């Protein structure tokens, strides 16, 4: 069985919902479908929550009423029979009454998570009813019945596999199984969400739980490109990536995929395909445990980087110095992207400068601190094992006219990273494309 995940834009209009139905059923095979909320819905639900936090029920009700009118128009466009239009209308009426109920109660983050979860519940209900209207044997499985996180807010794969297995057995024989992406329950049974990766994470967890032959992530882009098409001319989709390569690209700027969401598929050995709903026959990108040796695959960029350098004569041969430095970043819950060291100093980059002032104050206890803002990380990804003689030279040649603040190579077999000024980003990306791919 294949798992097919569709994002918000893929189910953003009644016409898109019909196209998704055609994609899901065209092979005639049994499939498991994960759907996001209709595009724009989650933003409206967050706006409703914001009004309720601010104790403005009138503002919340105005957004709820506008959203309800939008969904009523979608019902009229989506269904041809009054039976299924009425069935969906009744369900959505209950949903919007449920949202209105929050305007009369104390509002906290727990209620917000319940509100935000309704977008996925609405989209899946609409699509499964449309499929049934078309005579498709489709069944809706509520993600809140099997998708759970543990006390560390991480998915609980044992629980998910056990519960989903029972539910699938109870609904054996369906052609299409549909569930919600993103939403789950936490270890205490409260409505929550998967945070990182959202619906992609759900698809990967479901695929691992049912032992799927393939997990398909459908978006409006034909896979990962070998460079940023918004900045660089003549980019091409990358047809094959190893999981580690995909994670590097995702972390360093390829927005199509969150770096953590494919981990369950990686550990289960299930390939993930990135496909385009607008061009369903395009090859897209396949991510698997297979490595194509001797190839540089792609380039990505990550903006809004801050570089921090701490220089100290006391660092020379001083055991524990790096530990003290890293503990400062840990105490402020600020991840480090790149690290470069010398005998008397260490340079690091971060992408979250919210606690920069406090971090600098702490670092100044150990040495002289300098900060560079407005930086950008350029990441070159592929089979970059150090035994591939000359690969790093090709990359360096492309960067010869770009001022480089830091270089990171050797921490992974799959990337070389450069820290440069944001103003040099376009020139660097274009040069790398020209030297490596064109």
């Amino acid at each position: 069985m294949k798992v097919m995940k569709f994002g918000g834009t893929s189910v953003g209009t009644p016409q898109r919902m019909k196209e998704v139905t055609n994609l899901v059923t065209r092979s005639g095979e049994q499939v498991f479908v994960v759907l996001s909320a209709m595009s724009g819905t989650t933003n409206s639900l967050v706006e409703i929550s914001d009004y309720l936090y601010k104790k403005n029920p009138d503002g919340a009700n105005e957004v709820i009423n506008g959203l309800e009118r939008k969904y009523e128009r979608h019902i009229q466009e989506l269904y041809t029979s009054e039976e299924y239009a009425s069935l969906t209308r009744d369900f959505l009426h209950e949903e919007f009454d449920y949202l209105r109920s929050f305007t009369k109660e104390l509002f906290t983050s727990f209620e917000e998570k319940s509100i935000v979860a309704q977008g996925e519940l609405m989209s899946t209900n609409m699509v499964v009813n449309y499929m049934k209207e078309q005579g498709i044997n489709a069944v809706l499985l509520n993600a809140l019945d099997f998708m759970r996180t543990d006390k560390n807010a991480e998915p609980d794969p044992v629980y998910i596999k056990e519960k989903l297995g029972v539910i699938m057995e109870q609904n054996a024989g369906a052609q299409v199984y549909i569930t919600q992406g993103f939403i789950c329950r936490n270890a205490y049974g409260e409505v929550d969400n998967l945070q990182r990766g959202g619906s992609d994470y759900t698809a990967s967890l479901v695929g691992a739980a049912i032992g799927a032959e393939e997990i398909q992530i459908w978006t409006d882009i034909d896979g990962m490109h070998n460079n940023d098409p918004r900045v660089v001319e003549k980019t091409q989709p990358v047809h094959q990536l190893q999981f580690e390569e995909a994670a590097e690209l995702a972390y360093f700027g390829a927005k199509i995929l969150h770096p953590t969401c494919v981990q369950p598929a990686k550990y289960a050995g299930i390939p993930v395909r990135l496909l385009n709903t607008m061009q369903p026959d395009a090859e897209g990108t396949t991510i698997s445990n297979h490595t194509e040796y001797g190839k540089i695959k792609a380039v990505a960029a990550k903006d809004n980087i801050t570089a921090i350098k701490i220089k100290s004569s006391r660092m020379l041969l001083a055991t524990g110095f790096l530990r003290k430095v890293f503990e400062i970043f840990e105490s402020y819950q600020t991840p480090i992207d790149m690290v470069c060291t010398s005998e008397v100093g260490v340079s690091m980059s971060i992408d979250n400068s919210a606690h920069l002032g406090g971090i600098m104050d702490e670092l100044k206890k150990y040495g002289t601190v300098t900060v560079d803002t407005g930086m950008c990380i350029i990441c070159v990804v592929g089979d970059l094992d150090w035994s591939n003689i000359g690969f790093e030279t090709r990359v360096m040649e492309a960067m010869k006219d770009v001022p480089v603040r830091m270089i990171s190579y050797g921490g992974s077999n799959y990337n070389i990273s450069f820290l440069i000024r944001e103003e040099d980003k376009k020139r660097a990306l274009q040069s790398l494309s020209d030297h490596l791919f064109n």
Side-chain angles (χ1 to χ4, degrees), residues 219-225 237-238 256 274-276 279 282 284-285:
T219 67
D220 53 359
I221 303 170
D222 51 342
M224 280 194 180
H225 278 234
V238 181
I256 191 173
L274 308 179
L275 296 163
N276 187 352
Q279 297 178 317
T285 300

Side-chain angles (χ1 to χ4, degrees), residues 4-8 10-11 20 23-24 33-36 199 218 277:
M4 305 173 73
K5 175 263 174 179
F6 294 90
S10 296
V11 290
V20 163
L23 279 174
V24 166
V33 178
V34 177
L35 297 181
S36 299
S199 297
W218 290 82
T277 51

Side-chain angles (χ1 to χ4, degrees), residues 65-77:
N65 293 339
L67 194 60
E68 187 172 26
R69 289 192 295 270
K70 175 182 174 181
Y71 271 81
E72 175 58 36
R73 292 193 297 272
H74 288 332
I75 289 172
Q76 295 171 10
E77 293 178 38

